[in-house]
Amino acid sequence: MTTAPRHPEAAGAPVTAGEPVPADTAARLTGLVRALRGHGLRIGPAETVDAAAVLDVLGFTDRERIRAGLAAALLRSDGQRAVFDATFDLFFPLGVGTPEAVRADPPPVPEDPEPPRFGRPDPLRDDLRERLAAALAADDRAAQARLAGEVMEAFGRYGAGGTPGSDGWSAQQALGRLSPETLLARILAALRRPGAPTDLSDLVLADEVRRRIRDFRALVATEARRRVAELRGPERIAERAVAPTADRIDFLYAGRDQLAELRRTVHPLARKLATRLAARRRRAARGHIDLRRTLRRSLTTGGVPLRPAYRLRRPARPELVLLCDVSGSVAGFADFTMLLVQAMSEQFSKVRVFAFVNRTAEVTDLLRSGDDPARLAARILTGAEVTGYHGNSDYGSALGGFADHHLDAVGPRTCVLVLGDARNNHRDPNVDALRRIAARARRVFWLNPEQPSLWTTGDSAALAYAAVVEMHPCRNARRLGELITRLLPV
């Protein structure tokens, strides 16, 4: 693979501060902005013009200064930085093709190109592991970056290239061959003082080494994305290979680390939603125009309504009831929503939370007393009777149990939010129980983490329930925030 200069300075003509932004760089900047918008970042023309001015002032002599300058011009919160960094590396990479350092000293090519079988030596792999262990022990970022390119060059390529689109680069394949996690003990032995006893400092040191290994894995992933972007185009890779921001993570497919990141956004999101609800409440406090009183007032001005009269509302915060499925993959969705509502509890006169798998139990006290948000679902499953004679979801039984035993929690000022995917395992959906709840409540909304195209598939009873109450798709935290501020009564 040949290497061509990516930026003007790579061709021997550095662009300094104050010179016009080259046309190629302008195209890259607009491509970066489009990709960031595709990930939900709100970037307008003003921010784009500011970013161009940043490039004009900073020039192209320092890539990391460019990264920091564009981030300052385009981003609005720290939570967007991870998406920006990954996308920036696609549109403003260090170079193309094989890195110059790797080409100057390429890794030796083994005589047998096939992956070694169990028990067979692999000199190239062993050499890379030795050098990586030394670089991680010394925390040498430059050496780690060079090794990331060598690892991809040696183990990351797949496909024969005979069919268009069949070849590419895989960070997972390269890291699977290298297995950097297994170097932990070797690095610890190199860092530990000779003869020093094992103590708490070793645990801290082990966590530091794990962090360095994670950072190296991120370097390999960045190198893989850069190379794939050369084959497929940066726009396509930015759309498919860059992890979304926390508020756009799909509830149903979020991993443990992503759910932990979501929980960290609960309180900032709660403050934002509380501000929006308070603004709606202030606007609604004025009430609607009283046409009869307005016309009476207009008689003093010859029939011209100069002073409108309003039907003033009595200020009263609504009550909220959550009815949450805490089984299977929807548990993360219910978990996050319960924590969010608990953080917003001051916006409602009363909040009561009920959880179910196939039996319904109130968990309001468990939600208030828990000090570890990550273990909320486990506390509910062990501390409340939410399962009966089996462990599968049964919405019909759960709704029936709520209507029979907890209907006193619902009144004319109550808004009920039902959280779940409505997958009933082909049991009776018990729609009549949902009708009883809806007839007693002020409003009932069903938030479904599945997309509407799946509501008619398999064991889903979503359409049956949607005929009784409003059902809205709610796949991520951003959508959840929009629905809460738009649907909940004030």
Side-chain angles (χ1 to χ4, degrees):
M1 184 180 298
T2 60
T3 300
R6 224 7 142 165
H7 302 298
E9 70 274 16
V15 178
T16 57
E19 295 187 9
V21 176
D24 176 71
T25 305
R28 292 184 180 281
L29 177 60
T30 55
L32 171 66
V33 171
R34 283 195 301 268
L36 293 175
R37 286 174 179 169
H39 281 278
L41 276 65
R42 299 177 61 184
I43 301 175
E47 289 83 2
T48 307
V49 172
D50 290 343
V54 166
L55 293 178
D56 187 41
V57 170
L58 296 181
F60 295 90
T61 57
D62 190 333
R63 181 170 176 266
E64 292 308 312
R65 287 181 62 193
I66 295 174
R67 183 196 299 270
L70 292 181
L74 298 175
L75 304 186
R76 302 189 179 188
S77 68
D78 291 337
Q80 301 171 342
R81 186 58 190 262
V83 172
F84 171 83
D85 284 338
T87 310
F88 176 86
D89 288 332
L90 295 176
F91 287 90
F92 291 88
L94 284 170
V96 297
T98 304
E100 183 177 354
V102 178
R103 289 186 293 111
D105 186 17
V109 179
E111 297 180 359
D112 184 359
E114 297 183 359
R117 300 174 183 175
F118 180 76
R120 292 178 56 186
D122 187 350
L124 174 58
R125 175 178 177 271
D126 294 341
D127 175 67
L128 288 173
R129 283 170 56 85
E130 290 287 344
R131 293 161 56 200
L132 176 60
L136 292 174
D139 198 17
D140 187 343
R141 297 287 296 181
Q144 293 173 35
R146 182 178 184 276
L147 282 167
E150 293 189 36
V151 169
M152 286 303 304
E153 190 72 19
F155 304 132
R157 187 67 179 263
Y158 66 86
T163 304
S166 65
D167 56 348
W169 300 89
S170 170
Q172 183 177 2
Q173 173 179 299
L175 291 169
R177 288 285 302 277
L178 191 67
S179 301
E181 291 81 4
T182 60
L183 297 174
L184 176 62
R186 185 184 306 180
I187 299 172
L188 284 175
L191 293 177
R192 187 181 294 119
R193 298 189 306 274
T198 302
D199 54 13
L200 182 61
S201 62
D202 286 344
L203 300 178
V204 177
L205 190 59
D207 289 339
E208 170 63 17
V209 174
R210 292 189 184 96
R211 182 196 63 79
R212 296 179 187 180
I213 293 175
R214 287 195 301 269
D215 290 346
F216 177 75
R217 293 181 65 92
L219 289 174
V220 176
T222 300
E223 178 68 14
R225 282 196 301 268
R226 179 188 70 79
R227 295 186 181 220
V228 175
E230 295 174 10
L231 298 175
R232 309 283 187 262
E235 294 83 3
R236 183 178 179 184
I237 303 307
E239 177 183 356
R240 300 186 179 186
V242 175
T245 55
D247 62 343
R248 294 173 66 89
I249 295 173
D250 197 314
F251 287 122
L252 292 183
Y253 305 108
R256 183 176 60 183
D257 293 340
Q258 291 176 318
L259 288 175
E261 178 65 23
L262 270 177
R263 295 186 191 99
R264 286 192 287 270
T265 67
V266 163
H267 290 287
L269 180 58
R271 289 193 296 269
K272 182 185 298 183
L273 298 184
T275 302
R276 293 177 183 174
L277 287 176
R280 282 184 58 201
R281 189 172 291 116
R282 287 194 299 270
R283 290 193 298 267
R286 297 186 61 187
H288 301 287
I289 290 181
D290 188 328
L291 184 59
R292 180 177 296 180
R293 292 174 59 200
T294 300
L295 291 178
R296 284 180 179 176
R297 287 183 177 181
S298 70
L299 295 178
T300 62
T301 57
V304 180
L306 296 179
R307 292 186 302 153
Y310 294 90
R311 294 191 184 98
L312 298 180
R313 292 184 53 187
R314 297 180 61 185
R317 294 183 178 182
E319 300 176 358
L320 183 63
V321 168
L322 289 186
L323 189 55
C324 312
D325 181 3
V326 294
S327 66
S329 59
V330 296
F333 167 50
D335 181 2
F336 178 80
T337 308
M338 285 188 285
L339 292 173
L340 178 63
V341 169
Q342 178 63 24
M344 296 176 57
S345 59
E346 293 183 357
Q347 299 300 313
F348 307 96
S349 61
K350 183 186 295 185
V351 176
R352 297 182 68 178
V353 182
F354 298 83
F356 68 87
V357 175
N358 46 62
R359 286 186 179 178
T360 304
E362 185 168 5
V363 296
T364 308
D365 292 337
L366 288 176
L367 189 62
R368 291 172 180 168
S369 61
D371 56 354
D372 184 6
R375 294 187 54 81
L376 175 59
R379 287 200 308 269
I380 292 175
L381 291 175
T382 58
E385 295 183 3
V386 295
T387 57
Y389 56 89
H390 61 83
N392 299 323
S393 295
D394 188 342
Y395 282 79
S397 177
L399 291 172
F402 180 85
D404 292 338
H405 304 293
H406 304 287
L407 201 57
D408 59 338
V410 181
R413 292 173 50 197
T414 305
C415 179
V416 179
L417 287 183
V418 185
L419 312 177
D421 58 5
R423 294 206 168 268
N424 203 37
N425 291 292
H426 301 288
R427 294 182 170 86
D428 179 14
N430 197 0
V431 178
D432 289 337
L434 185 60
R435 288 197 182 97
R436 291 170 58 192
I437 299 171
R440 188 177 176 90
R442 179 179 178 181
R443 298 293 298 273
V444 178
F445 300 107
W446 192 304
L447 305 185
N448 193 327
E450 287 190 339
Q451 54 187 340
S453 61
L454 299 178
W455 293 357
T456 59
T457 63
D459 59 349
S460 176
L463 294 186
Y465 294 131
V468 180
V469 300
E470 290 186 41
M471 183 172 289
H472 299 271
C474 183
R475 302 181 60 188
N476 52 54
R478 171 171 293 194
R479 176 63 172 166
L480 177 62
E482 293 172 353
L483 290 174
I484 286 179
T485 53
R486 180 167 61 89
L487 298 178
L488 292 186
V490 295

